[in-house]
Amino acid sequence: AIHSVAWHHEGKQFICSHSDGTLTIWNVKSPTKPFQTITPHGKQLKDGKKPEPCKPILKVEYKTTRAGEPFIILSGGLSYDTVGRRPCLTVMHGKSTAVLEMDYSIVDFLTLCETPYPNDFQEPYAVVVLLEKDLVLIDLAQNGYPIFENPYPLTIHESPVTCCEYFADCPVDLIPALYSVGARQKRQGYSKKEWPISGGNWGLITQSYPEIIITGHADGSIKFWDASAITLQVLYKLKTAKVFEKSRNKDDRPNTDIVDEDPYAIQIISWCPESRMLCIAGVSAHVIIYRFSKQEVTTEVIPMLEVRLLYEVNDVESPDGEQVPPLPTPGTGSNPQSIVPQSHPSTSSSSSDGLRDNVPCLKVKNSPLKQSPGYQIELVIQLVWVSGEPPQQITSLAVNSAYGLVVFGNCNGIAMVDYLQKTVLLNLGTIELYGSNDPYRREPRSPRKTRQPSGAGLCDINEGTMVPEDRCKSPTSGSGSQNNSDDQKMNNLIEKVKTKSRKFSKMVASDIAKMSRKLSLPTELKPDLDVKDNSFSRSRSSSVTSIDKESREAISALHFCETFTRKADTSPSPCLWVGTTLGTVLVIVLNLPPGGEQRLLQPVIVSPSGTILRLKGAILRMAFLDTTGSLVPPAHEPWREHNVPEEKDEKDKSKKRRPVSVSPSSSQEISENQYAVICSEKQAKVISLPSQNCIYKQNITETSFVLRGDIVSLSNSICLACFCANGHIMTFSLPSLRPLLDVYYLPLTNMRIARTFCFTNNGQALYLVSPTEIQRLTYSQETCENLQEMLGELFTPVETPEAPNRGFFKGLFGGGAQSLDREELFGESASGKASRSLAQHIPGPGGIEGVKGAASGVVGELARARLALDERGQKLGELEEKTAAMLYSADSFSKHAHEMMLKYKDKKWYQF
């Protein structure tokens, strides 16, 4: 069977590709058998036998060159014994055969040539190969056939996108900085030539502000994209998984994994564009903090912290039942650290009862790590297993470069880390954040044995120092007591039941975590899709490891700021606002040491303020406005190169430049208040500070809920933009919360939209409409008006190249028929209908029917004759010009023939 045919440019030969992996070349003058048969990938057998059949050659192209052998380019045709080999494109040139492997299946290919005319030497210079998920261009002019560097981001789904963030109006030096470090990542071996497909024109870029998209992927990679105007260009790729030890196969995997697939998948991204600090949270309950640097460094020991984040903290029990002083609340004692920071994961993987305890899900490398210019690891934080229970996935994350702090939370509680001093400042269950002000009626919890970290000691409240575990144990009592024996049996029985329950719960939790990873949504924050009635039911639980976790209150929003923390405050101070899934907002006060060297020596003191605010629905976003209604951005540190030692003057400048702790100013009046904007799933409130009075309130939706809410700037003002589960996009003015826009955009058909939808400044938003496409949208009138100018032009008008030049002797001796033939000169197409006085035989049916048909056609024939008469004058003029051209050509030929005759008339045959 023939799959494709390609002509030689002279029209004397053509080549066919067949289903048995052969190529046949045919001469037009010898149609009985092929001129040549080739099996590009067939093994040549001895004794003249035919080669073994190969896979079909789906397409072949036959391109000629002036100075060398022709190119034969084909797809397919591999032998059947190459099982598992990737799809290939074969380039045959002379005696050489090059096999080019592709990453994906080949859909089609096309050879780019110097001329568009098929009857001239083709001079091929590149091959365009369309793959299922990519577009590849191969340079035929260089040895080894390198590929051209692709300027278009066709691999956004190289690994599935699990989250994305959109930043408009970024610092102008950010895109060049990311591009410069990303250019060093590009692999070598590309063609030295520019991308050869140059058609079309870019649109006029009316937007003057840079835009950046950050995508997190299932393999743990993060990509930064330049999204300015309507272009999309990859800037830089960061691989977060390279800090962890990778198991080579499933058998080598540690049994501490909480997900079966993609343990490095990115769930949350927190980025400060001004300071370039980046913080990510992964699906394995890990947090990594990155600092941007243009210098290459080698990190000998990767700094790491392990955090035990418990839901409840009971009084610590000694083995014989004697009470021990409880753990102090971090921030209230003299030592702010509640666990021992470890540079590497703990080697202890089980507690005294044989359960996994105090081990993280992933293992950090213990070898030196070479870090290229770009984002480099500052600190790795991992939540650990607690007495057989896996750590819960992180639901919220925030980083602040001015304070040097990162905070994250899940359904168990909240943890705050000082990444400059590498210490844990806060580690509290959600209930403990309330203290005695808890507004909810909680069910009493069953008593449990204390799960003390193995290898870690208890904090001595008086001295603020670590106390070894053996100091906390009291002398054991006699073992012969019958009561103790019965209690021991009962405890053993309870532990057996607990162990079986935990095994079953872990299996179910693993399935839940796997499903949650596939949706890439923390299930306690996002809706469950009910397929039957296409409605959403709310679920607060993140796992089913125990029934009491159903009522857990997760941390859903975090925001660093400098504002009034209490009603009696006269000046703003650094603090952290915490939002929960039950609609509560709590404020934590940060007491920061002075900047410079003191910041690295003195501890940060963290304490609750007692301020509690309530809204309906889970808290999604918080922001702050000043008295003029302008957005108050979180404090940030300007970026500087940390891997270059600073001069003394620079250090002094940096101390003055970065005042972190704000002292009360005597000139500041209480009247200079601020406004807190809080958005939840159901409503939004604007609260005046420090009085904490609600001055504006808006119920966003009653029947649905808000999936994403962002406080953004638009046309020199601030507004709240919301995307609801019922498909509506709504915007509200700030601080008055008046409705500005309510448009039905699209229904929430899948979790991908909910996971990736985000708003940004200047009326822009985006989401992933499919696994391979980013959909951008705008709710700005200015952008809509300029949209046509921003769109590019696909086609560019160019001049038609000159046709191949036919030489005189080629036309004289073997060039084939001339273009001016008898039919073109004297046929009806050129000169119209002949005169009616000329006889013409018109075959047709005989009899009266034929006469009737001829008579009925006379009227139509007369009408056409009138039209032909009108055109006849024009045709005759053209005929006269062609006749004159033929006359001139004949005269010229006569002169040349006469000159040749005179030249060779008297010469003998041996003189030629």
Side-chain angles (χ1 to χ4, degrees):
I2 297 175
H3 282 275
S4 68
V5 178
W7 280 97
H8 188 279
H9 83 275
E10 291 181 346
K12 297 178 180 180
Q13 286 184 341
F14 61 89
I15 187 170
C16 300
S17 68
H18 299 269
S19 59
D20 61 352
T22 60
L23 299 172
T24 54
I25 301 176
W26 298 77
N27 278 334
V28 175
K29 293 182 179 180
S30 303
T32 56
K33 64 177 182 178
F35 168 70
Q36 187 179 2
T37 302
I38 307 170
T39 309
H41 298 286
K43 295 179 180 178
Q44 298 296 331
L45 303 178
K46 296 179 179 179
D47 303 330
K49 294 181 180 179
K50 290 185 178 181
E52 296 178 356
C54 298
K55 297 177 183 177
I57 298 177
L58 302 178
K59 184 176 180 179
V60 64
E61 290 201 350
Y62 193 17
K63 303 299 178 182
T64 56
T65 59
R66 294 182 188 276
E69 297 285 339
F71 282 87
I72 299 176
I73 304 166
L74 56 107
S75 62
L78 296 177
S79 61
Y80 281 100
D81 58 358
T82 55
V83 180
R85 191 169 182 178
R86 292 188 295 179
C88 295
L89 186 81
T90 304
V91 180
M92 303 172 65
H93 185 221
K95 294 183 179 180
S96 69
T97 300
V99 181
L100 309 175
E101 290 191 345
M102 302 293 161
D103 292 333
Y104 308 102
S105 299
I106 297 175
V107 178
D108 197 4
F109 71 89
L110 184 69
T111 308
L112 302 183
C113 303
E114 296 288 352
T115 176
Y117 295 100
N119 61 338
D120 195 8
F121 286 99
Q122 299 299 287
E123 302 293 345
Y125 61 89
V127 181
V128 186
V129 188
L130 178 65
L131 308 178
E132 281 188 350
K133 296 183 179 181
D134 206 353
L135 183 73
V136 177
L137 259 73
I138 300 166
D139 187 355
L140 295 178
Q142 291 188 32
N143 293 331
Y145 305 131
I147 65 171
F148 289 88
E149 184 182 356
N150 197 332
Y152 304 103
L154 296 170
T155 54
I156 187 170
H157 56 292
E158 183 180 18
S159 174
V161 179
T162 53
C163 67
C164 66
E165 293 294 335
Y166 188 16
F167 299 87
D169 206 4
C170 301
V172 292
D173 59 342
L174 203 50
I175 289 179
L178 290 168
Y179 181 81
S180 64
V181 296
R184 305 184 195 182
Q185 294 180 327
K186 294 175 181 176
R187 67 180 187 182
Q188 303 300 317
Y190 285 115
S191 172
K192 298 178 181 178
K193 298 179 182 178
E194 292 186 358
W195 182 259
I197 302 176
S198 57
N201 290 319
W202 291 112
L204 297 174
I205 299 176
T206 57
Q207 296 173 341
S208 59
Y209 52 86
E211 300 173 76
I212 292 178
I213 296 173
I214 306 178
T215 55
H217 300 261
D219 63 353
S221 61
I222 294 175
K223 290 183 179 179
F224 292 78
W225 307 82
D226 178 8
S228 303
I230 57 169
T231 62
L232 187 65
Q233 178 67 49
V234 65
L235 295 171
Y236 172 71
K237 181 179 178 180
L238 172 65
K239 296 180 180 178
T240 65
K242 67 180 182 180
V243 71
F244 300 109
E245 298 281 1
K246 293 185 179 179
S247 55
R248 297 185 179 180
N249 52 54
K250 291 185 178 180
D251 297 334
D252 295 339
R253 279 174 121 177
N255 55 4
T256 55
D257 287 357
I258 58 175
V259 290
D260 294 334
E261 299 174 359
D262 301 328
Y264 313 109
I266 308 297
Q267 276 195 311
I268 308 175
I269 297 172
S270 178
W271 188 49
C272 176
E274 289 78 14
S275 65
R276 305 182 189 175
M277 291 297 297
L278 173 69
C279 191
I280 64 98
V283 73
S284 296
H286 63 278
V287 174
I288 309 178
I289 306 161
Y290 290 92
R291 194 186 291 275
F292 188 84
S293 174
K294 295 181 180 180
Q295 307 292 324
E296 182 179 287
V297 296
T298 300
T299 305
E300 296 296 330
V301 179
I302 299 171
M304 200 198 96
L305 285 176
E306 293 177 357
V307 178
R308 290 170 63 93
L309 199 53
L310 297 173
Y311 180 60
E312 79 285 352
V313 177
N314 298 326
D315 290 339
V316 179
E317 296 176 349
S318 59
D320 58 352
E322 194 169 305
Q323 294 294 324
V324 180
L327 292 172
T329 301
T332 57
S334 58
N335 188 352
Q337 188 172 341
S338 62
I339 67 166
V340 177
Q342 300 174 349
S343 60
H344 292 290
S346 171
T347 56
S348 174
S349 61
S350 62
S351 59
S352 58
D353 54 3
L355 298 173
R356 280 191 292 274
D357 187 68
N358 207 46
V359 290
C361 301
L362 303 174
K363 184 179 180 182
V364 176
K365 290 180 179 178
N366 53 14
S367 57
L369 181 66
K370 182 179 179 182
Q371 303 197 70
S372 304
Y375 276 101
Q376 299 170 353
I377 294 171
E378 178 80 7
L379 180 63
V380 179
I381 308 167
Q382 293 197 88
L383 297 181
V384 296
W385 286 67
V386 179
S387 296
E389 291 188 10
Q392 299 299 306
Q393 293 184 359
I394 293 167
T395 57
S396 57
L397 176 71
V399 64
N400 188 281
S401 58
Y403 306 157
L405 302 177
V406 63
V407 62
F408 55 92
N410 60 11
C411 65
N412 281 343
I414 186 173
M416 186 186 297
V417 172
D418 182 347
Y419 64 78
L420 297 178
Q421 297 186 21
K422 310 294 188 292
T423 57
V424 179
L425 302 175
L426 185 71
N427 182 3
L428 288 178
T430 314
I431 298 177
E432 295 175 290
L433 286 172
Y434 292 94
S436 59
N437 299 324
D438 190 355
Y440 304 104
R441 188 175 63 86
R442 318 262 181 177
E443 293 296 327
R445 304 198 51 80
S446 58
R448 288 184 180 179
K449 283 190 176 182
T450 302
R451 291 145 191 178
Q452 184 61 26
S454 55
L458 297 175
C459 291
D460 189 330
I461 298 178
N462 298 325
E463 299 176 358
T465 57
M466 299 303 294
V467 183
E469 285 185 358
D470 55 357
R471 281 180 53 189
C472 301
K473 297 179 182 179
S474 61
T476 56
S477 58
S479 60
S481 172
Q482 183 65 32
N483 293 334
N484 289 346
S485 176
D486 293 342
D487 290 344
Q488 187 66 31
K489 289 180 181 179
M490 182 62 68
N491 288 336
N492 291 339
L493 181 61
I494 292 173
E495 285 302 323
K496 286 182 181 179
V497 175
K498 279 186 176 182
T499 302
K500 290 183 179 180
S501 175
R502 287 190 189 105
K503 286 182 180 178
F504 173 76
S505 300
K506 181 195 176 287
M507 180 179 66
V508 178
S510 177
D511 293 339
I512 293 292
K514 182 177 179 182
M515 183 61 69
S516 176
R517 182 200 61 77
K518 287 185 177 180
L519 298 177
S520 297
L521 282 171
T523 53
E524 76 281 358
L525 295 182
K526 301 300 178 185
D528 294 328
L529 187 59
D530 191 343
V531 179
K532 292 182 180 179
D533 59 358
N534 198 22
S535 64
F536 294 96
S537 60
R538 307 297 297 145
S539 173
R540 298 290 181 193
S541 63
S542 63
S543 72
V544 290
T545 49
S546 62
I547 297 174
D548 56 18
K549 289 184 182 177
E550 294 291 338
S551 61
R552 288 193 180 181
E553 183 178 9
I555 306 298
S556 58
L558 297 163
H559 188 82
F560 286 104
C561 58
E562 291 192 16
T563 186
F564 302 92
T565 57
R566 301 178 180 89
K567 292 183 178 181
D569 285 354
T570 58
S571 64
S573 59
C575 58
L576 171 70
W577 285 52
V578 182
T580 72
T581 51
L582 294 186
T584 305
V585 177
L586 305 108
V587 183
I588 298 174
V589 181
L590 309 174
N591 192 349
L592 299 157
E597 295 180 359
Q598 293 297 317
R599 174 63 182 86
L600 301 175
L601 299 175
Q602 298 183 20
V604 179
I605 299 174
V606 181
S607 59
S609 66
T611 298
I612 297 179
L613 305 171
R614 294 290 312 281
L615 275 79
K616 188 193 301 183
I619 305 299
L620 298 180
R621 196 73 58 196
M622 294 174 283
F624 294 86
L625 310 178
D626 61 14
T627 52
T628 63
S630 300
L631 191 65
V632 179
H636 59 81
E637 167 191 65
W639 178 80
R640 61 184 179 88
E641 182 58 70
H642 280 260
N643 291 329
V644 176
E646 281 187 311
E647 299 294 335
K648 187 176 180 181
D649 295 340
E650 288 293 326
K651 286 186 178 181
D652 295 338
K653 287 181 183 177
S654 65
K655 290 179 185 178
K656 297 176 183 177
R657 184 178 62 213
R658 289 174 287 150
V660 178
S661 180
V662 180
S663 59
S665 172
S666 57
S667 62
Q668 190 166 17
E669 300 282 340
I670 259 187
S671 60
E672 293 186 11
N673 55 2
Q674 291 182 346
Y675 302 101
V677 182
I678 306 173
C679 176
S680 75
E681 289 178 331
K682 292 290 186 179
Q683 61 182 195
K685 284 185 179 182
V686 175
I687 297 170
S688 177
L689 300 176
S691 63
Q692 298 181 9
N693 294 325
C694 178
I695 57 174
Y696 296 105
K697 177 182 175 182
Q698 178 67 248
N699 290 322
I700 301 174
T701 175
E702 294 291 342
T703 58
S704 183
F705 55 93
V706 179
L707 284 168
R708 176 79 182 210
D710 287 295
I711 291 90
V712 296
S713 62
L714 177 65
S715 299
N716 299 320
S717 60
I718 307 298
C719 67
L720 170 64
C722 300
F723 174 56
C724 296
N726 59 12
H728 282 252
I729 291 178
M730 309 168 73
T731 60
F732 303 91
S733 66
L734 289 176
S736 59
L737 288 178
R738 288 178 300 175
L740 301 176
L741 178 73
D742 186 354
V743 177
Y744 177 76
Y745 179 66
L746 85 164
L748 183 65
T749 53
N750 55 54
M751 290 297 102
R752 186 186 305 107
I753 299 174
R755 182 186 72 226
T756 58
F757 199 102
C758 52
F759 295 96
T760 189
N761 295 330
N762 300 310
Q764 310 291 329
L766 66 78
Y767 62 94
L768 253 73
V769 68
S770 75
T772 62
E773 296 170 293
I774 286 181
Q775 175 67 61
R776 276 186 55 183
L777 59 117
T778 183
Y779 49 96
S780 165
Q781 182 67 24
E782 181 183 359
T783 307
C784 291
E785 291 173 352
N786 298 326
L787 189 58
Q788 292 302 320
E789 296 180 3
M790 294 165 60
L791 295 175
E793 295 178 359
L794 182 58
F795 297 104
T796 309
V798 296
E799 294 183 4
T800 305
E802 291 186 7
N805 187 20
R806 292 172 60 87
F808 171 75
F809 288 103
K810 185 175 181 181
L812 178 64
F813 294 112
Q818 293 284 341
S819 61
L820 296 175
D821 57 7
R822 175 183 176 279
E823 179 60 30
E824 186 173 352
L825 286 174
F826 303 109
E828 291 184 357
S829 62
S831 56
K833 291 281 184 180
S835 173
R836 293 184 63 84
S837 61
L838 296 177
Q840 186 177 6
H841 174 67
I842 304 174
I848 191 65
E849 287 81 14
V851 175
K852 286 181 180 179
S856 63
V858 169
V859 178
E861 193 69 19
L862 286 173
R864 285 194 290 270
R866 287 196 183 96
L867 293 175
L869 284 172
D870 294 336
E871 298 173 0
R872 189 170 181 80
Q874 181 179 355
K875 297 289 185 181
L876 286 173
E878 295 175 359
L879 177 61
E880 186 178 357
E881 293 177 0
K882 292 180 180 180
T883 306
M886 286 187 66
L887 181 62
Y888 177 80
S889 178
D891 188 36
S892 175
F893 175 73
S894 174
K895 288 180 181 179
H896 282 291
H898 185 67
E899 289 172 2
M900 291 183 67
M901 185 268 293
L902 293 177
K903 183 176 181 181
Y904 297 106
K905 182 174 67 171
D906 298 326
K907 289 189 177 183
K908 304 296 182 181
W909 63 269
Y910 53 85
Q911 292 177 323
F912 281 109

